[in-house]
Amino acid sequence: MLDLASLTDFLSRPRKVVITTHHKPDGDAMGSSLGLYNYLIQQGHHTTVITPTDYPDFLTWMPGNEEVVIFTQQQELSAKLVAEAEIIFCLDFNSLNRINELGELVRQTTAYKVMIDHHLEPEDFDDYRHWDINACAAAQLVYTFIVDQLNNRALINKDVATCLYTGIMTDSASFRLPNTTSDVHRIVADLIDAGANNSRIHELVYNSASENRLRFLGHCLANCLEILPEFNTAIISVNKQDLQRFDVNTGDTEGIVNYALSIASIRLAAFIVERTDRVKLSLRSKGEFPANEICKKYFAGGGHRNAAGGQSDESLEATVEKFKSILPEYKKLLIQ
Ligand code: 5GP
Ligand code: MN
């Protein structure tokens, strides 16, 4: 275990640092990782961000992106960097199975492991933990780590601010979710003061879709949406052929589930997609409904109360049926 004073002392000399984040990284995963990267390089640390898999094009514009190592594309280099690291920051996840094969490599090293995260039920693999499930984003926790714990507001430069703003914006669904507190808005205001161009960041993330992605969205809403009024639930299910037909790339499916949730009566929305290796579920809910409980109990997953995910080894049809068969158990919560 490390306390803050020892960690601060450890970081007072240049170190070999690895930052890693969950597979299929989202805006918060990349924003928090590159935010911390842009902070650490200012202090002379030899820092590398390693992602377990690739990530969407709408996240590749962030400062430091060109230095990111993608494990699936550079396995040997990734293993070498992890083995040589003196300290490994684990951002936006809290269980090593969320980083695929990288998990075992991280577990085996003697490097200090620092977890900065906001998910429930952390696994005990870390030496230092900055963890708060009330945080709206891991990027928010990277901000408080730098500013409140390391006392280094002066190093929140434009690059750090840009990345952290992106993480908070995407994970709070553009400052909409209930955990977007006044403290979050104060942090975001400070990031804008530090150089984050909020309007440009919004353009880069949300207005950079391909024609295919928009046509795919149209297809999902017109042909793949099923409403279950007796459970205030909506399901969008998409098969492999549809993914091929619309040339759907990493990230193109992100956010589609929110359209189903935008219907006034809907309390629970599911996006269920047949990927090459397995069926993946993305659940979103309103208010108190625990989407993460369904994912944890039935679909080998987890997440937050209002945004969770999981998977299934069964067929798409069987997974949709399984999902529907669970709803009666939650009927009371869904119709209140
Ligand atoms: P998404 O639906 O965007 O893939 O995931 C929403 C949230 O659910 C993520 O922020 C992540 O916390 C969680 N999540 C998604 N998939 C999984 C999974 O397979 N396992 C766990 N534990 N959490 C997941
Ligand atoms: Mn997050």
Side-chain angles (χ1 to χ4, degrees):
M1 272 294 156
L2 265 180
D3 60 17
L4 180 59
S6 325
L7 176 62
T8 307
D9 182 56
F10 185 80
L11 290 174
S12 66
R13 285 175 296 287
R15 299 289 183 183
K16 289 184 187 137
V17 182
V18 161
I19 299 170
T20 189
T21 190
H22 61 79
H23 75 119
K24 292 286 170 204
D26 57 9
D28 187 31
M30 293 317 296
S32 59
S33 296
L34 287 170
L36 184 63
Y37 168 87
N38 284 298
Y39 166 78
L40 290 170
I41 58 172
Q42 295 176 69
Q43 298 181 310
H45 297 295
H46 183 276
T47 310
T48 313
V49 174
I50 306 179
T51 61
T53 63
D54 65 351
Y55 44 94
D57 287 342
F58 66 81
L59 296 174
T60 55
W61 55 270
M62 272 185 267
N65 178 71
E66 54 294 342
E67 306 301 329
V68 172
V69 172
I70 299 174
F71 175 76
T72 46
Q73 297 170 9
Q74 290 184 279
Q75 298 203 11
E76 265 177 42
L77 175 62
S78 304
K80 183 170 178 284
L81 288 164
V82 169
E84 289 175 355
E86 295 168 275
I87 183 164
I88 300 177
F89 286 89
C90 299
L91 302 196
D92 201 29
F93 72 95
N94 65 24
S95 148
L96 290 175
N97 64 14
R98 294 277 289 145
I99 57 172
N100 304 349
E101 292 98 323
L102 257 182
E104 277 318 299
L105 300 178
V106 170
R107 199 189 297 281
Q108 282 160 19
T109 69
T110 52
Y112 284 129
K113 296 164 192 92
V114 176
M115 177 199 296
I116 301 182
D117 181 56
H118 64 141
H119 292 91
L120 292 165
E121 298 173 2
E123 184 190 332
D124 192 13
F125 67 86
D126 52 319
D127 300 292
Y128 183 85
R129 186 175 292 186
H130 184 43
W131 174 73
D132 182 358
I133 56 163
N134 295 314
C136 75
Q140 177 187 345
L141 294 172
V142 170
Y143 177 93
T144 53
F145 177 64
I146 295 171
V147 174
D148 301 335
Q149 301 204 328
L150 302 180
N151 231 332
N152 245 334
R153 166 63 181 83
L155 293 191
I156 305 267
N157 63 15
K158 184 179 164 89
D159 288 349
V160 175
T162 298
C163 298
L164 297 184
Y165 184 97
T166 305
I168 295 174
M169 177 186 82
T170 52
D171 244 29
S172 67
S174 297
F175 318 108
R176 256 188 301 169
L177 297 181
N179 50 17
T180 317
T181 59
S182 59
D183 278 342
V184 173
H185 282 284
R186 272 186 280 274
I187 289 171
V188 164
D190 192 39
L191 294 173
I192 293 172
D193 286 344
N197 184 334
N198 51 316
S199 172
R200 183 164 171 273
I201 293 170
H202 199 278
E203 282 294 306
L204 287 166
V205 172
Y206 294 118
N207 290 350
S208 63
S210 62
E211 179 184 336
N212 265 336
R213 141 93 199 187
L214 209 65
R215 295 200 184 280
F216 175 64
L217 171 63
H219 172 68
C220 289
L221 301 182
N223 307 317
C224 310
L225 173 67
E226 185 180 358
I227 306 288
L228 305 170
E230 70 276 32
F231 296 113
N232 290 335
T233 295
I235 303 171
I236 297 173
S237 58
V238 180
N239 64 29
K240 237 186 265 180
Q241 293 73 29
D242 287 341
L243 297 184
Q244 277 163 6
R245 185 173 142 212
F246 290 95
D247 190 24
V248 174
N249 293 311
T250 303
D252 285 346
T253 55
E254 203 154 309
I256 292 180
V257 63
N258 293 319
Y259 288 92
L261 199 66
S262 71
I263 301 169
S265 62
I266 296 301
R267 298 210 60 183
L268 175 64
F271 183 79
I272 307 180
V273 57
E274 185 183 20
R275 299 246 177 245
T276 37
D277 51 343
R278 57 192 159 177
V279 172
K280 175 84 188 130
L281 295 95
S282 274
L283 300 196
R284 298 291 184 272
S285 69
K286 287 179 190 154
E288 298 298 314
F289 189 86
N292 51 353
E293 190 183 305
I294 293 184
C295 290
K296 188 167 177 224
K297 230 164 124 181
Y298 297 102
F299 296 107
H304 314 278
R305 187 179 62 203
N306 299 125
Q311 45 262 308
S312 155
D313 292 327
E314 296 182 68
S315 70
L316 180 66
E317 292 73 21
T319 306
V320 171
E321 283 316 308
K322 179 173 171 185
F323 177 74
K324 287 181 184 172
S325 75
I326 292 160
L327 297 176
E329 181 187 335
Y330 291 94
K331 184 157 186 170
K332 244 194 187 153
L333 276 175
L334 287 167
I335 60 171
Q336 66 181 213

